[in-house]
Amino acid sequence: MFQQTNIFQGKTSWFKPAVIGGMLAILTGCVQHTYIPSSQDPGRDMRPEVVDAAPAPAARPEYRQPQVVTQPRQENQDQYAYVTPDYPDSGVSNNPAARRLIDRALEQRASGDLEAAAATLERALRVAPNDPEVYYELASIRLSQQNYAQAEQLARRGLSLTRDPGMRARLQSIIDQSAVGRG
């Protein structure tokens, strides 16, 4: 019924390799090549440069371990006595912008403008959200305004940020005064 025919039948011997070569040339032309010139300098190596698509890792902040203060053991001291590490005084802000805002708020408070002092300290909180001194000053203003709940909340947040015994005592005093004020 059906007669099988060969398309290469009756063609010359060069036809079959020419068809295969043409198909390979077409397929090779479909491959997409990206060329990134390394430089305009003809004497330089002309191999394409490797482009790294991954971003460089962010630099990690340097961790500094607190220094431990060693004290000579006294005669009757327990041999297992714990010496507390010497943490830097957190009662003074290290952030210069926050320090200026705290100073301005203290001036406003001294002049009797508690609302302006509170607004200035709220700006300082945005500048230095982990500064316990800002929390202490704002909590003391809220205590002066008889806003006891907010004064206690701010003092507790500041207490969680500091290890300085002096600052901890001042913040705890605000917490205690807030509790007395609420009754």
Side-chain angles (χ1 to χ4, degrees), residues 8-57:
F8 298 112
Q9 197 173 33
K11 306 289 182 190
T12 58
S13 62
W14 60 267
F15 184 73
K16 191 176 195 179
V19 169
I20 293 173
M23 292 171 96
L24 285 175
I26 291 172
L27 289 176
T28 305
C30 293
V31 176
Q32 187 176 20
H33 294 282
T34 305
Y35 175 71
I36 301 172
S38 63
S39 172
Q40 298 298 330
D41 184 14
R44 193 161 175 214
D45 185 12
M46 294 305 288
R47 287 181 286 180
E49 294 178 11
V50 176
V51 178
D52 186 16

Side-chain angles (χ1 to χ4, degrees), residues 13 27 52 55 87 99 102 125 127 130 133 138 157 169 178:
S13 62
L27 289 176
D52 186 16
Y87 292 101
R99 180 76 253 157
I102 291 169
L125 272 181
V127 171
N130 294 325
E133 185 182 8
L138 186 55
R157 175 69 178 138
S178 296

Side-chain angles (χ1 to χ4, degrees), residues 12 30 44 67 78 97 104 112 137 143 155 166:
T12 58
C30 293
R44 193 161 175 214
Q67 298 175 352
D78 184 13
R104 183 183 311 153
E137 295 297 341
L143 188 66

Side-chain angles (χ1 to χ4, degrees), residues 20 22 33 38 54 63 66 78 83-84 109 120 133 145 174 182:
I20 293 173
H33 294 282
S38 63
Y63 173 75
D78 184 13
V83 178
T84 58
R109 182 180 186 169
T120 302
E133 185 182 8
Q145 294 173 327
I174 290 180
R182 279 188 294 188

